[in-house]
Amino acid sequence: PSEVLPALEHGDVQLERRDAEALVMTRARRYQAAMRGTSLASAMVRDLAKNDAALAARLLAEQLPWLAWMPRGEQEDCLADILTNLAAGAETGTFEPFARSLAEWEHTAEVWADPELAKRLSSELPGGGKAIPRPKVRR
């Protein structure tokens, strides 16, 4: 503590640990300010998406250029899922589902970027098993 606390005056401190995930220490006022800004920004983006979905999609696509690799329907599902998780994270302070959703959609876009892989994964699999329905997008 005697080494770390003075460093917090200049910014956040990341503590690297050998056998566990790194930790980030921050001053409470800095954390609260970041959470308030995130909450406000996500509420504004959510309201924008409600009022002008096309504009929200275009703005998000500018920030996430890999969206261009996905078909239009997938882009719409992606936008809805990301915005829902962002708003929930801002409300609760839990952003892990948002980060996970963002990473999953980026990986989905990477599959679409490879036409051969997308074709293989979109086609029926060989075998005599029972067909199962496509999972629904959580909203």
Side-chain angles (χ1 to χ4, degrees), residues 8-121:
L8 286 172
E9 290 301 320
H10 305 290
D12 299 341
V13 175
Q14 182 169 324
L15 302 174
E16 300 291 333
R17 302 187 303 164
R18 276 184 282 239
D19 297 326
E21 185 177 6
L23 300 175
V24 175
M25 293 181 63
T26 189
R27 297 261 183 211
R29 67 179 154 70
R30 225 178 292 149
Y31 173 77
Q32 291 165 346
M35 290 304 296
R36 193 160 186 209
T38 302
S39 180
L40 176 62
S42 67
M44 289 173 59
V45 170
R46 183 187 60 230
D47 289 347
L48 171 63
K50 284 181 190 175
N51 293 313
D52 192 340
L55 177 60
R58 193 181 88 238
L59 294 173
L60 186 57
E62 289 175 12
Q63 298 305 309
L64 307 172
W66 46 260
L67 277 174
W69 294 333
M70 298 189 313
R72 172 82 47 210
E74 294 261 337
Q75 290 177 12
E76 293 167 2
D77 289 345
C78 173
L79 173 64
D81 190 49
I82 287 172
L83 290 175
T84 297
N85 280 298
L86 178 59
E91 185 70 26
T92 63
T94 303
F95 287 96
E96 288 85 358
F98 164 74
R100 191 170 42 251
S101 175
L102 191 60
E104 289 169 355
W105 280 110
E106 184 172 3
H107 293 311
T108 298
E110 290 167 352
V111 170
W112 282 110
D114 181 341
E116 184 58 36
L117 179 58
K119 182 179 175 182
R120 282 194 352 248
L121 293 176

